[in-house]
Amino acid sequence: MMMHLMEFLGEVNQEWLRAGLIGATACGLTACMVLAQQFSTHREVKAKIQRARDRRDESLQRAEQMVLRYMQSDQTINSPSIMSLSLSELTKQLQDGSLDPNDVLHCYLEKTLAVHKKLNCCTEILLESFDQLKTLDSNKKGLLYGVPISMKENLAFKNHDCSCGVVSNLDQPAKEDSVIVQVLKKQGAIPFVKTNIPQGLLSYDCSNVIYGQTVNPHNSQKTSGGSSGGEGALIGAGGSLLGVGSDIGGSIRIPASFCGICGFKPTPGRLSTQGLIPIYRGQKSVLSCPGPMAKDVDSLALFMQAVLCDDMFSLDPTVPPLPFNLKIYQSFKPLRIGYLENDGYSQPSPSMARGIREVKALLEQAGHTLVPYQPLRIQEVVAELMLKGVFADGSASLLQKLKGEPIDPCLRAQVFPYRFPKWLKRVLSFVLKPVSPRGSVAFDGISGVGTIQNLWKQHAAVEDYIQETIAHWRSCNIDVLLCPVIGPAYNFLYCGQTSTVVGYTMLYNLLTFPAGAVTVSTVTAEDEEQLKDYRGIYQDRWDRLFKEAVTGGVGLPVAVQCVALPWQDELCLRFMKEVEQLTKQSNKSA
């Protein structure tokens, strides 16, 4: 009996041993397969990045050779004279024939190539621009005839990638031009370069693992801002006179502020978004839209006048057929202007606040009426409407796009909490509420909405807030609003750690109000001295980081933000023009 039992146990042990060996082998093979897959993915990612870099290098080299040959063949080109012209002056001379589009394009390409070497702002030269010159005369009546124009990387141009700064989007060239590019070409403009963006677009820095960091044209130790940071840097350094960016939370206005130029976010829907590639589709609470960036407000207005034409309304019937109202833009009627220096959620830097005070005084001297204004329920709105709007899925779509590729240093701190499980985000939001209100808001916001029913409720809440804000605006009896825009330009690696201050710009994406940034001043030594005493509203981690981010900004541009009600884009631009003119006159007389 005992012998049989021992034999049975021996057989069982052997079976267990065999099973264990099989299991261990299977686990080992699975681990090897996973490692092999990871190695293969890593190798594929590196290869895709290298191909993109090679394409960029080749386009830069070919453009440089073509520019060199052209300049050597014609010694009479007066590059400094051409580069000194404003857009309105340039278009006039191109249309009356006193300037050759060939000369203009080659001059701007020469400057762009030089700027790129310093700032790393371009992702690719569009060599098709040279071919476009051959047929350009067919569009000689266009408002932008012969004008070289730069464009953000995520705007579709046939046979070129729209990577949005992520590796998974590489090697998928656009099959056709975006509607805006088609319209610009019909207006005689020459798209000649694509410009850099941050990884995944949802950042106001400008760096990615494909093309690297774009730096500020006024200080190479500062970022250009983002996500239209390549545009801001190129235009700010004089490599482009007019560009197209896109804006979902300040992505046109922030780089305009950082780089000392002008940028305009129209009412969403006023310009076609066909061919404007987002990092992910379907998000409807905080809307993105394309818009112009330029050295001056007149250039922004000319862009809007040019593209708001029958060609756009025909190519994209979802765009309302509203041509640009030049009469409103050129009007001189005194305005009732709301103003705020502090939104009650993020204390502005000394230069941001000073910019508002100085512009307010100039507007009052010019005969306008200034009325105090405060946005409604800003803390609640940041979490429940802005963050939960952009990250309604708990950041899943963004993380899916970033899967398998290295995270750029400028994005690491921002993305790190996105990966937390939803229950942990909820717990952290609850625990932080009494000790760090804005930390609680951030974790609550990136937790997402949870269910489709909650998503519908969130959409309804956004609609209600828009109507509530319009009613508040009308109760103040104001035409337009003057408010801060983030600045001055940040030190590197801070944008991803200081998301709270984005409320100054993202609010108007949420509200669907047109808004623009106008440079009005520069940071003074006094601003920098006052910054030493900066504590912030909450005196928390985000206030400390913001102070560190803007430190060392003497001499950098200072901008303000101008806002109007939906579909009053021309009035917003007219207000921006007023601010621009008054500050220029004031700076000349100072």
Side-chain angles (χ1 to χ4, degrees):
M1 183 73 176
M2 184 62 70
M3 188 178 293
H4 288 303
L5 181 61
M6 293 298 291
E7 288 176 0
F8 173 74
L9 290 173
E11 290 174 4
V12 168
N13 282 337
Q14 288 178 1
E15 289 299 320
W16 275 107
L17 182 62
R18 278 197 291 271
L21 288 169
I22 292 170
T25 303
C27 288
L29 287 171
T30 302
C32 288
M33 289 173 66
V34 169
L35 287 171
Q37 179 64 38
Q38 289 178 342
F39 177 75
S40 175
T41 300
H42 177 69
R43 188 167 57 182
E44 183 182 350
V45 165
K46 285 185 69 176
K48 290 177 84 170
I49 290 173
Q50 191 58 54
R51 286 196 295 273
R53 290 174 179 173
D54 289 345
R55 282 193 296 270
R56 176 170 74 165
D57 290 346
E58 183 185 359
S59 73
L60 290 166
Q61 289 167 8
R62 287 180 61 189
E64 195 164 10
Q65 291 166 1
M66 295 170 86
V67 167
L68 184 62
R69 280 200 301 270
Y70 189 85
M71 293 302 189
Q72 287 176 342
S73 68
D74 187 352
Q75 303 291 329
T76 63
I77 299 173
N78 190 341
S79 292
S81 175
I82 290 173
M83 301 301 292
S84 69
L85 296 173
S86 68
L87 180 61
S88 57
E89 292 168 336
L90 180 68
T91 53
K92 183 181 178 183
Q93 293 192 31
L94 282 164
Q95 285 166 347
D96 68 18
S98 55
L99 274 181
D100 184 341
N102 270 283
D103 293 351
V104 174
L105 176 62
H106 284 85
C107 283
Y108 269 96
L109 263 172
E110 183 178 46
K111 180 67 174 178
T112 289
L113 293 167
V115 167
H116 173 73
K117 289 175 182 177
K118 295 179 180 178
L119 307 182
N120 189 43
C121 53
C122 304
T123 62
E124 197 168 5
I125 301 296
L126 300 173
L127 298 172
E128 294 90 335
S129 57
F130 294 103
D131 296 327
Q132 191 186 341
L133 284 168
K134 299 171 185 175
T135 59
L136 194 63
D137 281 350
S138 61
N139 296 311
K140 194 165 186 177
K141 292 182 179 179
L143 292 179
L144 296 172
Y145 169 73
V147 175
I149 189 164
S150 50
M151 51 188 280
K152 189 174 180 179
E153 195 265 2
N154 67 321
L155 198 63
F157 193 94
K158 188 177 180 180
N159 296 327
H160 293 265
D161 282 343
C162 290
S163 74
C164 300
V166 297
V167 178
S168 59
N169 285 354
L170 289 173
D171 298 336
Q172 299 176 47
K175 294 180 180 178
E176 62 179 357
D177 290 341
S178 63
V179 165
I180 281 192
V181 168
Q182 292 180 58
V183 175
L184 286 169
K185 286 181 176 179
K186 288 178 181 292
Q187 287 289 346
I190 306 172
F192 76 106
V193 61
K194 278 196 158 197
T195 55
N196 205 21
I197 69 285
Q199 186 177 26
L201 292 179
L202 298 179
S203 165
Y204 62 109
D205 206 330
C206 193
S207 181
N208 59 73
V209 296
I210 307 166
Y211 304 113
Q213 174 81 53
T214 298
V215 303
N216 192 284
H218 303 279
N219 183 336
S220 61
Q221 299 306 306
K222 301 278 188 173
T223 177
S224 61
S227 62
S228 308
E231 281 301 310
L234 184 62
I235 296 168
S240 174
L241 201 57
L242 180 65
V244 189
S246 65
D247 192 309
I248 192 174
S251 295
I252 286 173
R253 291 159 287 161
I254 294 170
S257 167
F258 283 15
C259 296
I261 63 171
C262 299
F264 180 60
K265 179 202 81 69
T267 302
R270 189 77 195 264
L271 300 181
S272 175
T273 57
Q274 286 189 25
L276 178 69
I277 310 302
I279 186 60
Y280 51 83
R281 297 176 62 194
Q283 188 276 110
K284 301 296 182 183
S285 294
V286 184
L287 299 178
S288 174
C289 59
M293 301 173 73
K295 282 281 193 180
D296 56 59
V297 179
D298 275 342
S299 299
L300 305 178
L302 182 58
F303 173 93
M304 294 296 289
Q305 186 182 357
V307 297
L308 290 174
C309 62
D310 290 340
D311 289 318
M312 176 167 290
F313 308 143
S314 172
L315 287 165
D316 186 353
T318 67
V319 175
L322 298 173
F324 190 78
N325 192 324
L326 201 58
K327 185 178 179 181
I328 292 176
Y329 176 64
Q330 294 176 342
S331 66
F332 292 99
K333 186 186 83 170
L335 300 169
R336 279 183 60 86
I337 302 166
Y339 73 93
L340 68 114
E341 188 178 308
N342 187 324
D343 69 358
Y345 189 68
S346 299
Q347 181 181 332
S349 65
S351 60
M352 287 167 67
R354 177 178 57 80
I356 294 295
R357 290 194 300 271
E358 291 180 351
V359 170
K360 172 182 176 287
L362 291 171
L363 289 165
E364 287 176 323
Q365 291 168 18
H368 301 286
T369 302
L370 276 291
V371 180
Y373 179 93
Q374 253 338 97
L376 302 171
R377 300 185 284 112
I378 191 68
Q379 180 171 323
E380 174 193 343
V381 166
V382 168
E384 295 299 321
L385 304 187
M386 293 186 205
L387 290 177
K388 283 191 178 178
V390 175
F391 299 114
D393 63 351
S395 314
S397 295
L398 177 61
L399 293 175
Q400 181 60 38
K401 280 289 186 181
L402 297 173
K403 188 177 180 181
E405 67 179 79
I407 303 299
D408 190 88
C410 84
L411 207 64
R412 281 176 196 157
Q414 180 181 332
V415 168
F416 179 67
Y418 296 172
R419 300 185 188 279
F420 293 178
K422 185 182 292 185
W423 67 265
L424 180 56
K425 293 174 187 174
R426 300 276 191 204
V427 168
L428 288 169
S429 177
F430 178 77
V431 170
L432 289 172
K433 200 164 191 176
V435 293
S436 178
R438 293 196 295 185
S440 173
V441 162
F443 279 110
D444 183 38
I446 63 173
S447 297
V449 296
T451 67
I452 293 174
Q453 185 180 21
N454 286 342
L455 180 63
W456 290 347
K457 287 180 179 178
Q458 201 269 347
H459 287 170
V462 170
E463 292 171 7
D464 291 344
Y465 185 69
I466 292 171
Q467 294 307 316
E468 187 181 349
T469 298
I470 291 172
H472 175 51
W473 182 291
R474 286 177 171 160
S475 73
C476 296
N477 191 25
I478 58 175
D479 300 307
V480 289
L481 177 66
L482 173 70
C483 56
V485 62
I486 303 169
Y490 283 17
N491 296 311
F492 295 128
L493 304 182
Y494 279 92
C495 293
Q497 303 180 68
T498 52
S499 58
T500 52
V501 75
V502 178
Y504 277 109
T505 48
M506 188 180 282
L507 178 62
Y508 304 106
N509 296 83
L510 177 79
L511 290 168
T512 71
F513 289 12
V518 184
T519 299
V520 297
S521 181
T522 55
V523 179
T524 64
E526 187 179 351
D527 292 329
E528 193 73 14
E529 189 63 29
Q530 289 179 9
L531 185 63
K532 294 176 182 178
D533 298 323
Y534 181 94
R535 295 290 179 270
I537 295 171
Y538 291 86
Q539 299 182 26
D540 58 9
R541 176 177 179 268
W542 286 272
D543 284 330
R544 291 191 295 274
L545 286 168
F546 177 68
K547 179 180 178 179
E548 293 172 13
V550 298
T551 296
V554 174
L556 290 175
V558 174
V560 297
Q561 185 172 203
C562 303
V563 184
L565 289 174
W567 305 106
Q568 295 187 5
D569 304 78
E570 292 88 345
L571 180 61
C572 186
L573 284 162
R574 178 253 152 125
F575 179 35
M576 291 171 67
K577 176 69 173 176
E578 185 89 1
V579 169
E580 179 186 57
Q581 287 180 324
L582 290 173
T583 53
K584 281 183 177 178
Q585 290 167 7
S586 175
N587 292 336
K588 280 181 183 178
S589 61

